[in-house]
Amino acid sequence: MPSFNGRAALALASFGTFGSTVLSAPSGDWKGHGGWKGHDDPFSNASWPLPRRVYGENDTANVDSATEGWGGIHLHDPSIILGPDGHYYSFSTHGLTVISRASKKGSIDGYWEIIGSVLDAGSSVINNSGSADPWAPDVHKVGDTYYDYYSVSQFGSQISAIGLATSKTLMPGSWTDHGEVFSSDPNATYPLNVTNAIDANLFIDPKTKTPYINYGSFWSNIYQFELTEDLKDIKQDTAVQLSLDPVAPQPEEGAYMNYHDGWYYLWYSHGTCCGYNSSALPAPGEEYSIRVGRSRSPRGPFMDREGVKLTEGGGYIVYGSHDFVYGPGGQGVLSDYHGRDVLYYHYVNTIVDPTYADNLKLLGWNYIYYIQGWPVLSYH
Ligand SMILES: *[C@@H]1O[C@H](CO)[C@@H](O)[C@H](O)[C@H]1NC(C)=O
Ligand SMILES: *[C@@H]1O[C@H](CO)[C@@H](O)[C@H](O)[C@H]1NC(C)=O
Ligand SMILES: *[C@@H]1O[C@H](CO)[C@@H](O)[C@H](O)[C@H]1NC(C)=O
Ligand SMILES: *[C@@H]1O[C@H](CO)[C@@H](O)[C@H](O)[C@H]1NC(C)=O
Ligand SMILES: *[C@@H]1O[C@H](CO)[C@@H](O)[C@H](O)[C@H]1NC(C)=O
Ligand SMILES: *[C@@H]1O[C@H](CO)[C@@H](O)[C@H](O)[C@H]1NC(C)=O
């Protein structure tokens, strides 16, 4: 038997075929599976697995456009959810929150078909005129309704808002835009005067059923509010800071929270997200990477593996650039994917995208193992 880690599988097959390579089934025991087989330290970056490959529409006709050419395999800040018909649906930044659907029931491998968008026209949130290009959708089912929290902003601006659209079916045409949930600007009420209201993540505490919204990007990094029961407004005076990189430019964003076995995990993206130029890349380590901390409470404090608080610059790097993967981020967790947790994200695949163009970023994913309560990614 060859060694079954993602890289070995890749070495055996060309990029074009590794997705169909027959691999051994996971046993549930972390040893011997995924990227870290052959390494003593599952937490080492030498153990990072390759992304699982997804199949789907590959619309490269509009690669020069910020808003077209997205969906299918090309996602940014993806959100994935199981639909009422047993198919998985994905949502992406751009394309008025482009919706794709995996044609194979119960699978996130694909074939991802673009089926439309959440919004028919721009968002009703008109702040700062980013409304025609909502970012970073975060879709969850609560009761019988799907909630999509999206962001309205412009690159480099703190005048931002988080909007909400809801649907009973996830299908294009079924969404109602409720407009703004909350917004940030220099004149807003603290902490909305010092934070950036984008990159929303709804988290409902499985223990207390309390709804929270995690958000933030750069300016003061990641914050959290409690939401009102209808999930359409924040409760003032409930803000807590979850994470802060004190080193300028404080590049943290894209928070995502999940719960597993007594721990709350706060995942986020650190570094420069986009606009990479293959001949002038950010200094190594300054591009996007995926980091995580954990806490016994959804309100924090979150700590990294060294015991450093996330609010004091902590953060365990769980996935970053390696092999043909560059700048992974915009992540989310899919719980109970056939009984397992999955981390999905976007990344630059430097083989298919040697120019590192934003519009060719791919959806990737890996299984999550929790080793001593710390997430480790795995190919299997
Ligand atoms: C992996 O970790 C080692 C040791 O901490 C570090 O020197 C190296 O730069 C890291 N490599 C990547 C690709 O992050
Ligand atoms: C953004 O729009 C909302 C109404 O949708 C308004 O309450 C808020 O003050 C606006 N913020 C800015 C900075 O214009
Ligand atoms: C903030 O207040 C100042 C002074 O009133 C005003 O000039 C500025 O336009 C306001 N900014 C926003 C984003 O509302
Ligand atoms: C934000 O608001 C708080 C409370 O009103 C105020 O003390 C603080 O100076 C403001 N910060 C900025 C950067 O405007
Ligand atoms: C990429 O960087 C190179 C070298 O700095 C520069 O000449 C080129 O214009 C840049 N390309 C873009 C699209 O910004
Ligand atoms: C998508 O299509 C482009 C243009 O045909 C091609 O260069 C690229 O390799 C394709 N991407 C994938 C992942 O197949």
Side-chain angles (χ1 to χ4, degrees):
M1 295 274 280
S3 97
F4 285 118
N5 72 45
R7 260 170 248 169
L10 188 83
L12 294 172
S14 74
F15 174 75
T17 57
F18 82 82
S20 57
T21 304
V22 179
L23 298 158
S24 61
S27 69
D29 174 359
W30 65 266
K31 284 177 191 148
H33 291 290
W36 63 88
K37 184 180 170 74
H39 299 284
D40 292 336
D41 181 2
F43 303 110
S44 142
N45 59 22
S47 299
W48 289 340
L50 288 174
R52 301 289 298 221
R53 187 180 186 187
V54 300
Y55 298 87
E57 284 186 63
N58 176 15
D59 176 9
T60 55
N62 294 299
V63 290
D64 294 329
S65 161
T67 54
E68 302 296 328
W70 292 90
I73 56 174
H74 299 297
L75 300 195
H76 207 275
D77 310 318
S79 180
I80 297 180
I81 190 167
L82 181 61
D85 56 0
H87 291 263
Y88 282 91
Y89 288 73
S90 76
F91 299 79
S92 175
T93 284
H94 300 315
L96 293 169
T97 308
V98 61
I99 310 173
S100 308
R101 179 178 180 266
S103 62
K104 188 178 173 205
K105 227 177 187 177
S107 174
I108 57 173
D109 292 327
Y111 184 89
W112 288 102
E113 292 171 316
I114 299 163
I115 60 167
S117 58
V118 169
L119 301 173
D120 300 326
S123 157
S124 61
V125 181
I126 56 165
N127 299 35
N128 201 11
S129 65
S131 62
D133 187 18
W135 296 340
D138 180 57
V139 182
H140 297 269
K141 189 180 188 193
V142 183
D144 64 354
T145 304
Y146 296 94
Y147 290 76
D148 168 31
Y149 293 89
Y150 61 82
S151 308
V152 174
S153 186
Q154 293 191 61
F155 211 82
S157 172
Q158 185 239 343
I159 304 173
S160 307
I162 287 164
L164 172 65
T166 59
S167 160
K168 298 280 190 202
T169 65
L170 297 173
M171 294 305 284
S174 73
W175 292 89
T176 303
D177 185 13
H178 302 277
E180 181 185 310
V181 180
F182 63 104
S183 61
S184 63
D185 69 78
N187 301 332
T189 316
Y190 179 85
L192 291 164
N193 62 343
V194 295
T195 54
N196 189 13
I198 69 167
D199 289 0
N201 167 234
L202 175 70
F203 179 75
I204 298 186
D205 186 347
K207 291 184 178 173
T208 64
K209 307 300 172 204
T210 306
Y212 297 104
I213 195 150
N214 307 308
Y215 76 98
S217 166
F218 287 73
W219 289 266
S220 305
N221 295 176
I222 315 297
Y223 267 71
Q224 178 188 76
F225 278 102
E226 197 176 319
L227 284 175
T228 54
E229 215 166 295
D230 67 2
L231 309 181
K232 290 178 182 156
D233 205 351
I234 50 172
K235 286 191 182 173
Q236 301 290 343
D237 306 322
T238 62
V240 290
Q241 185 163 31
L242 301 182
S243 190
L244 175 71
D245 180 347
V247 180
Q250 306 188 332
E252 292 186 2
E253 57 188 4
Y256 195 100
M257 192 173 283
N258 80 309
Y259 174 84
H260 177 85
D261 199 16
W263 290 105
Y264 297 84
Y265 295 93
L266 180 70
W267 308 74
Y268 59 97
S269 304
H270 184 280
T272 302
C273 70
C274 331
Y276 300 133
N277 174 342
S278 54
S279 50
L281 290 172
E286 287 181 11
E287 78 281 17
Y288 243 20
S289 62
I290 301 173
R291 306 191 180 198
V292 68
R294 72 179 188 188
S295 173
R296 289 296 187 187
S297 161
R299 307 285 279 161
F302 287 84
M303 310 276 196
D304 69 11
R305 286 188 58 243
E306 317 287 316
V308 180
K309 283 184 180 164
L310 263 51
T311 48
E312 293 170 4
Y316 150 52
I317 306 177
V318 70
Y319 205 55
S321 302
H322 65 103
D323 293 290
F324 59 68
V325 175
Y326 188 79
Q331 73 294 322
V333 175
L334 187 57
S335 295
D336 194 17
Y337 179 65
H338 306 289
R340 305 184 55 192
D341 283 1
V342 154
L343 188 78
Y344 55 82
Y345 47 84
H346 70 239
Y347 69 104
V348 172
N349 180 309
T350 60
I351 297 174
V352 298
D353 183 9
T355 66
Y356 295 54
D358 277 344
N359 291 38
L360 292 176
K361 279 177 184 163
L362 296 179
L363 170 65
W365 65 274
N366 291 100
Y367 289 108
I368 301 171
Y369 282 78
Y370 297 90
I371 300 174
Q372 299 150 12
W374 286 105
V376 167
L377 301 189
S378 161
Y379 194 83
H380 302 293

